[in-house]
Amino acid sequence: MGKPSRVNHSGASDFLLLGLSEQPGEQPLLFGIFLGMYLVTVVGNLLIILVISSDAHLHTPMYFFLASLSLTDACFTSASVPKMLANIHSHSQTISYSGCLTQLYSLLMFGGLDNCLLAVMAYDRYVAICQPLHYSTAMSPQLCALMLCACLVLTNCPALTHTLLLTRVAFCDHTAIPHFYCDPSALLKLACSDTHINELMIITMGLVFLAIPLMLIVFSYVRISWAVLGIPSPGGRWRAFSTCGSHLTVVLLFYGSLMGVYLPPPSTHSAERESRAAVLYMIVIPMLNPFIYSLRNRDMKEALGKLFGGGKAVFLL
């Protein structure tokens, strides 16, 4: 039997994104739903950034990282949804080779940055609750900027390395990806050349983007829990822990959706299940974040009210 034919991976080859459904009758409904979700995600997260930047009372480390997370969420969703909407509207499933690699890099970069920022925000709450006397020095503006830069470097380097390594992979003629975005694992399944280095890079990214941030988050909340339980009054315990409520909700939703897909045995994995989970952590959770951080935060509510003249007709309230 001859070897599978290959496409020239340095040429203008296209991949096919099969999307969430191949039923023609479902496409208009999917377009409307995801267009609405995308608009809510972008407007909601940009509104959070606007509110934080316009209110001097919110110029603190916690809100600095929240604004960074909101911008990251908007970019993370924008890396995949516009292309999906364009394909549905044009009745096309294609994405160019360069477009696929660009999308892959963007998803890895902003997805990893999302995880890193969640870990830094957990550290911020740990310092605020467990070491309040050192908060102003431990979370100074210079250190906050340094932590943000560190997150950018730590996420950009593995994402760029993995993307560049993919340019060395030759792909077979069958280039259909059973997702609405360029999934790295699905791409490697289409390869006709050796992919051991690429697979090792995926494991490395899993450690950098997921395992290490999650361990830092768990460590921070263990220390926070011990500190909160040591507060004598119930009211004091509630006030201390309430400052973590929004962040903890987002962490549980984000990591819960990832674990629900990738922790079960590989035999239970399917493209449909992975696509649904991707919709949850790439689209739904970034859309919900502005609501979570505004509805559960008195300072954000007051700032939104000031921005819109006494809080009239603010949809997040």
Side-chain angles (χ1 to χ4, degrees):
M1 183 179 293
K3 294 182 179 180
S5 59
R6 300 180 181 184
V7 297
N8 180 5
H9 61 272
S10 61
S13 304
D14 290 339
F15 291 97
L16 294 178
L17 297 177
L18 300 184
L20 295 171
S21 173
E22 296 186 68
Q23 300 298 323
E26 296 178 358
Q27 302 308 307
L29 177 61
L30 289 174
F31 182 85
I33 290 174
F34 285 98
L35 176 61
M37 293 172 69
Y38 177 65
L39 292 176
V40 171
T41 300
V42 173
V43 172
N45 282 289
L46 292 183
L47 182 58
I48 292 291
I49 297 171
L50 175 63
V51 168
I52 292 173
S53 61
S54 63
D55 194 319
H57 294 94
L58 300 181
H59 294 175
T60 63
M62 181 176 73
Y63 293 108
F64 169 74
F65 290 119
L66 175 56
S68 301
L69 180 69
S70 295
L71 179 60
T72 302
D73 281 340
C75 293
F76 187 37
T77 303
S78 298
S80 60
V81 176
K83 179 59 180 175
M84 178 179 67
L85 294 174
N87 279 3
I88 293 176
H89 185 262
S90 62
H91 305 287
S92 170
Q93 295 180 316
T94 62
I95 183 171
S96 66
Y97 175 80
S98 59
C100 187
L101 290 188
T102 301
Q103 184 187 78
L104 175 66
Y105 165 75
S106 300
L107 289 172
L108 292 175
M109 168 67 182
F110 292 116
L113 187 56
D114 224 331
N115 284 275
C116 192
L117 286 172
L118 288 174
V120 171
M121 292 171 76
Y123 173 74
D124 170 77
R125 292 298 83 206
Y126 158 72
V127 176
I129 294 174
C130 300
Q131 301 179 12
L133 298 179
H134 299 91
Y135 186 77
S136 59
T137 54
M139 299 300 294
S140 66
Q142 294 80 7
L143 286 176
C144 289
L146 184 61
M147 284 189 281
L148 179 59
C149 290
C151 285
L152 288 169
V153 172
L154 288 173
T155 54
N156 182 67
C157 290
L160 183 59
T161 301
H162 180 66
T163 305
L164 292 176
L165 285 174
L166 270 176
T167 63
R168 301 169 58 86
V169 175
F171 294 95
C172 303
D173 285 337
H174 180 69
T175 55
I177 301 173
H179 295 287
F180 63 92
Y181 65 100
C182 288
D183 178 71
S185 298
L187 274 174
L188 293 184
K189 291 178 181 178
L190 304 177
C192 287
S193 58
D194 183 73
T195 59
H196 284 94
I197 296 178
N198 304 82
E199 291 167 359
L200 181 62
M201 194 64 208
I202 288 180
I203 297 173
T204 303
M205 288 190 300
L207 290 173
V208 175
F209 291 171
L210 295 174
I212 294 177
L214 181 58
M215 286 190 293
L216 292 174
I217 291 170
V218 171
F219 173 79
S220 296
Y221 274 106
V222 168
R223 297 296 300 272
I224 288 172
S225 299
W226 279 110
V228 170
L229 291 174
I231 299 175
S233 67
R237 287 196 294 269
W238 171 252
R239 283 191 299 271
F241 202 73
S242 64
T243 62
C244 309
S246 299
H247 176 261
L248 188 57
T249 301
V250 172
V251 167
L252 291 174
L253 286 173
F254 187 80
Y255 283 97
S257 63
L258 290 174
M259 291 179 181
V261 174
Y262 297 111
L263 281 187
S267 59
T268 65
H269 290 187
S270 67
E272 182 180 1
R273 180 174 179 175
E274 291 177 2
S275 292
R276 289 176 180 175
V279 168
L280 183 58
Y281 62 78
M282 292 171 59
I283 303 174
V284 176
I285 294 176
M287 180 186 70
L288 293 178
N289 282 355
F291 294 93
I292 294 171
Y293 280 106
S294 60
L295 290 174
R296 297 179 62 89
N297 191 303
R298 181 180 299 176
D299 293 334
M300 286 296 298
K301 289 182 180 181
E302 292 177 355
L304 282 165
K306 292 177 184 177
L307 184 64
F308 289 91
K312 296 179 180 178
V314 181
F315 73 91
L316 286 178
L317 293 176

